[in-house]
Amino acid sequence: MRILIFGGTGEAIDLADALVRQGHQVTTSLAGRTRKPRLPNGHIHTGGFGGVDGLADYISRNGFEMVVDATHPFAAQMSANAVKACAQLNAPMLRLTREAWQAGAADNWHHVPNIQAAADRLGAGSHVLVTVGRQHIEPFVLRTDCTIFIRAIEHPEVILPAHVNVILERPPFRLSDELAFMRTHEITHLVTKNAGGDQTAAKLEAARMVGASVIMIERPALPEAVEVYSVEAALQYLGDHSASIA
Ligand code: NAP
């Protein structure tokens, strides 16, 4: 089958590698934001398509028989475009996403709708680990009354003031490292998107253990689509679909 995967996640890489091993013709599409992304096997498309119409044109010109949206749960524009373009073409589409994290009884989470609201929730003097990526960090940079630690894969493209520290790291993260970091820097708040998944979940347990508050940015709403929550489930779905059109 000719399969187009919208990527930018570890799951997208694992899915593409598995589908290539099964003999499918796979193209993974990346937005092109990360300078040195991890790349899956198969073909790579880099950069946007120019909205829904451009995407629909790309899908039909290349004869893709299946589209998989395996983007991050916060890539709402791309996910919406994928649904609309596939609806236009009447093309089959699957969304591979992660189940949202849920707070446990011992957790101290505050739910907020966006990054600005997260920054607004911080009290003066807070020591904050910010794990929302390197873009859209301005609201934290403006909190000169807090000590901010931005953790990202690549350095933000702006000059940062002295109260903002950058830690360059790539998931997965281990609980022992998260705990050591939070204790060393006396972290009082963790700011995170509700991305879900195992690779970055240790910070939530560490926050619980050190008594830090979690400011949880809730997911954007996405248009309805067939959804699966693991690479294995995606492979099963695609296998069934492939058999049904053979
Ligand atoms: P977004 O706001 O949903 O998308 C904005 C535009 O960027 C899209 O309309 C599309 O441009 C282009 N684009 C986005 N993802 C693309 C992809 N995989 N392939 C080709 N074009 C893409 O996206 P975002 O939140 O900036 O995320 C960009 C990428 O980073 C995604 O691949 C996502 O999986 C990954 N990522 C995002 C986050 C996050 O927190 N948002 C975290 C980790 C990884 P056109 O309209 O021109 O087609």
Side-chain angles (χ1 to χ4, degrees):
M1 238 186 345
R2 288 178 73 84
I3 303 172
L4 173 63
I5 300 176
F6 303 116
T9 59
E11 289 86 345
I13 294 174
D14 292 346
L15 180 65
D17 286 348
L19 290 169
V20 168
R21 275 197 302 276
Q22 291 179 357
H24 295 288
Q25 294 176 58
V26 180
T27 297
T28 299
S29 163
L30 300 172
R33 310 250 201 283
T34 308
R35 278 184 289 268
K36 285 188 186 160
R38 273 179 61 213
L39 294 177
N41 290 319
H43 303 285
I44 303 294
H45 168 97
T46 305
F49 302 93
V52 175
D53 291 342
L55 179 55
D57 179 56
Y58 178 80
I59 293 169
S60 64
R61 245 186 312 118
N62 289 281
F64 290 109
E65 298 160 279
M66 171 59 79
V67 173
V68 182
D69 173 16
T71 56
H72 189 273
F74 280 72
Q77 186 65 58
M78 190 67 234
S79 291
N81 288 0
V83 169
K84 287 181 194 151
C86 289
Q88 252 184 42
L89 298 168
N90 204 16
M93 193 205 109
L94 175 68
R95 181 182 296 145
L96 167 58
T97 187
R98 307 166 186 156
E99 287 186 276
W101 292 317
Q102 305 286 342
D107 284 315
N108 179 19
W109 290 15
H110 305 276
H111 298 273
V112 293
N114 53 46
I115 286 180
Q116 183 63 56
D120 291 345
R121 265 209 86 105
L122 299 169
S126 300
H127 285 207
V128 190
L129 174 58
V130 177
T131 61
V132 301
R134 70 191 167 109
Q135 289 165 5
H136 317 299
I137 55 170
E138 302 80 359
F140 301 103
V141 174
L142 294 174
R143 288 303 305 262
T144 51
D145 56 343
C146 297
T147 303
I148 305 286
F149 298 87
I150 305 275
R151 182 163 73 192
I153 292 175
E154 292 181 352
H155 207 284
E157 284 167 346
V158 286
I159 296 170
L160 295 168
H163 71 287
V164 181
N165 307 276
V166 177
I167 302 114
L168 297 181
E169 278 176 338
R170 216 181 254 274
F173 299 112
R174 291 185 311 182
L175 179 60
S176 54
D177 295 334
E178 299 291 45
L179 266 178
F181 182 87
M182 289 190 190
R183 286 185 174 137
T184 302
H185 298 287
E186 298 177 346
I187 295 299
T188 58
H189 294 76
L190 165 67
V191 176
T192 177
K193 295 175 176 174
N194 196 338
D198 298 335
Q199 299 240 314
T200 60
K203 62 189 172 188
L204 302 171
E205 197 174 341
R208 184 188 319 130
M209 290 169 76
V210 302
S213 302
V214 175
I215 302 182
M216 183 63 75
I217 303 171
E218 288 309 317
R219 292 183 173 196
L222 301 182
E224 239 176 73
V226 178
E227 276 189 2
V228 290
Y229 303 102
S230 69
V231 171
E232 294 68 33
L235 288 169
Q236 176 73 50
Y237 181 91
L238 297 173
D240 292 349
H241 179 80
S242 177
S244 76
I245 60 170

